[in-house]
Amino acid sequence: MDLPLRSWLDRRLGALRYLPALFRQVRAASPRLFALGLGVRLVRACLPVCLLYVAKLILDAIVAEHARPRPVPLALDAWLADPHLARLAGLVALELALAVASDLLGRTATLLDGLIADLYGNAATVRLMRHAAELDLAQFEDSAQQDQLERARRQVTGRASLIGQVLGQGQDLITLAAFAAGLAAFTPWLILLLAAALVPAFLNEMHFNRQGYRLAWTRTPERRQLDYLRYLGASVETAKEVKLFGLSGYLVERLEAVSRRLIADNRALLVRRTLWGGAFAAMSAIIYYGVYFVIVWRTVAGTFSIGDLAFLAGSFQRLRGLIEGLLLGFSQIAAQAQYLEDLFSFFEIRPAIRSPEHPRPVPVPITQGLVFEEVGFRYPGSPTWAVRHLSFRLGAGEVIALVGENGAGKTTIVKLMTRLYDPSEGRILLDGQPLSAYALDDLRARIGVIFQDFVRFDFTAGENVAVGRVVDRADEARIRRAAGRSLADTVIARLPLGYAQPLGKRFAEGVDLSGGEWQKIAIARAYMREAEILILDEPTAALDARAEFAVFERFRELTRGRTAVLISHRFSTVRMADRILVLEAGQVLESGTHAALLRLGGRYAELFELQAAGYR
């Protein structure tokens, strides 16, 4: 095949390779409904030509009856007693039965398509969520990957109708073959003329479908901006600041600016598509009526009967519609298949951080602790190192605090401990083995972490605690125990429905909490895990000094004998740690107890004095 032609076909038809995979997924959603849908379409595909042929027989029978001498009009009983007229009545009854059957089968096919689309949409959404859960944190934080995820999310349910369209194309192909066989018996050259007239329209649609997909693909970032601006302008989470800062007009202006660019591009494409489509449609109509004139002329000349005229004209009209529909439908399927590439290419993304094929069991209990050996890490796309040449030990049963200014590497260390990222240099050991030697789920199950930017789930209060160890969400005693340890039990006790109270403002009956109350709920998640390593990364920023002290007093009490890491800017809190690591530029600058670091008179003592001066 000529290389330019092959390239052209690859660009326009290459995405069709995803159709078999889509069919397998749709069939897997409900094998019985899928098979029933195929059977219904197969039967219905044969009915249109049968209906048209029966109509031809009726017309020929009527013409023949007009030629027979009949002195007076016949009564109904005499009409049915006449074998010729009885045959005509039978043909009318047969046409009625075929019409009713065709309608019922069409409605059944539509019903089955809808049921299958719902089942597939749900199954595809579940698959997307599970695959997204396997991806690395870095893949979520990359803007290009976010665009790809957004495109996949848009397609996960929107392409279920494609299967119905493909099955409809198959049904129309069978119908077309039946009409073509009947038409070929009279004038086979008409079929070739008809196809030749419609191919240019098909190529035109293919071209503009490709242009439409390319426009949608390149404008994904702008569409994400529009979604974000809509969220900012009409969301309970942002309503207070939008009102207080008077941001509504500014947000609307930004949205309109982005929208104008999208609308202008779409308008230009639609205008070109309409002009070219109209030209090809006019050419097709001219050819159709030219052929229709030939059929009428040959009927007048006596070559065809009135029934033949009806059958040929009807067949030709249906063939024209079928061929045009098939060609345009195929171009639309090819266009939609390009969007399938967005979905299936997302499923082809593989995480870099994975469990080993033969993981080692995570030690229970942990006897040695964690060791950082010359660890270096920089975030993807960043020229600077978040941490570099970082070495320290976190002994089993030890509580350490990480102190440092923003950007010192505190949260990065936590992400490395939990294998949300892997080091770019060096290694991290748990009881003498690299973290990568353990299964991810087992490793993370041993660590309870609460970040400052924890998620406020619009679930019930009990479910908000249970997400810390969702497999035990039915264990009410464990949930209550975790809430008691974080002091969230007093917050929940004040709610009208207690642990069954929906939180947040997104759904009916939801009750919102203060920042400090939310943080106590979030801290309960860490206790819910009953993990051997507990990490609190600035989770008490919204608490007042007294509440924070109470939380960390409880934390200190409950972590006796466990390994723990706490991060806080308040030195009254970190002083309770066994050891404090002072970080600067991603390295350990100082290490020791609160008293020892104050005697050292270094960076820690300087920061402590600066904070203490604010309370004098």
Side-chain angles (χ1 to χ4, degrees), residues 506-573:
R506 191 178 301 272
F507 303 113
E509 299 183 358
V511 173
D512 207 2
L513 304 178
S514 68
E517 290 171 330
W518 269 114
Q519 287 189 315
K520 290 179 180 179
I521 296 286
I523 294 170
R525 297 171 193 165
Y527 290 123
M528 181 71 186
R529 294 184 83 82
E530 296 185 356
E532 292 190 67
I533 301 176
L534 287 174
I535 303 173
L536 300 186
D537 182 4
E538 291 282 5
T540 58
L543 297 178
D544 58 48
R546 183 186 299 275
E548 183 183 39
F549 182 78
V551 167
F552 277 114
E553 277 289 307
R554 182 65 63 88
F555 177 75
R556 177 67 171 160
E557 175 187 337
L558 294 172
T559 54
R560 294 191 189 281
R562 293 188 182 184
T563 307
V565 177
L566 62 91
I567 301 174
S568 176
H569 283 100
R570 290 177 179 165
F571 289 86
S572 58
T573 297

Side-chain angles (χ1 to χ4, degrees), residues 81-103:
D82 187 313
H84 297 286
L85 295 177
R87 176 176 176 274
L88 180 58
L91 289 172
V92 173
L94 177 60
E95 185 175 23
L96 171 63
L98 291 174
V100 171
S102 179
D103 179 71

Side-chain angles (χ1 to χ4, degrees), residues 571-572 575 594 598 603-613:
F571 289 86
S572 58
R575 66 191 302 170
H594 172 74
L598 286 182
R603 185 64 171 157
Y604 180 85
E606 178 189 350
L607 293 174
F608 179 82
E609 286 298 324
L610 285 173
Q611 189 171 108

Side-chain angles (χ1 to χ4, degrees), residues 320-473:
R320 174 176 177 261
L322 283 169
I323 293 175
E324 185 175 22
L326 283 168
L327 292 177
L328 298 183
F330 179 77
S331 70
Q332 292 168 2
I333 288 172
Q336 290 195 54
Q338 295 173 103
Y339 294 94
L340 282 180
E341 186 170 5
D342 295 333
L343 178 61
F344 283 95
S345 63
F346 173 74
F347 289 133
E348 293 170 2
I349 300 174
R350 291 293 174 262
I353 299 176
R354 291 175 287 185
S355 298
E357 291 186 14
H358 304 289
R360 303 177 68 92
V362 178
V364 181
I366 295 172
T367 58
Q368 301 175 37
L370 282 158
V371 177
F372 278 59
E373 292 183 349
E374 286 292 311
V375 170
F377 176 77
R378 56 184 172 190
Y379 290 93
S382 173
T384 60
W385 292 85
V387 296
R388 191 83 188 275
H389 303 304
L390 180 65
S391 298
F392 69 90
R393 175 183 293 274
L394 170 59
E398 182 183 20
V399 177
I400 70 167
L402 302 180
V403 175
E405 296 181 283
N406 292 335
K410 303 184 296 296
T411 298
T412 299
I413 290 174
V414 175
K415 291 178 179 178
L416 292 171
M417 283 183 179
T418 52
R419 280 204 79 196
L420 292 175
Y421 289 101
D422 276 340
S424 308
E425 297 177 347
R427 61 178 185 165
I428 305 172
L429 306 177
L430 174 63
D431 273 14
Q433 297 295 326
L435 291 184
S436 57
Y438 303 112
L440 281 172
D441 290 341
D442 291 344
L443 174 67
R444 291 169 181 168
R446 306 293 181 192
I447 305 175
V449 186
I450 293 298
F451 292 100
Q452 181 178 357
D453 55 347
F454 58 85
V455 178
R456 304 183 182 195
F457 292 99
D458 287 271
F459 299 159
T460 66
E463 289 169 336
N464 261 281
V465 175
V467 294
R469 185 173 171 82
V470 73
V471 294
D472 291 320
R473 61 189 179 276

Side-chain angles (χ1 to χ4, degrees), residues 33 52 56 130 154 231 266 391 433 471 531:
L33 287 180
L52 195 58
K56 164 197 155 33
R130 288 178 173 168
R154 289 178 181 273
Y231 162 77
N266 287 332
S391 298
Q433 297 295 326
V471 294

Side-chain angles (χ1 to χ4, degrees), residues 97-117:
L98 291 174
V100 171
S102 179
D103 179 71
L104 289 176
L105 289 173
R107 295 177 185 276
T108 302
T110 301
L111 170 64
L112 293 173
D113 287 349
L115 294 175
I116 292 172

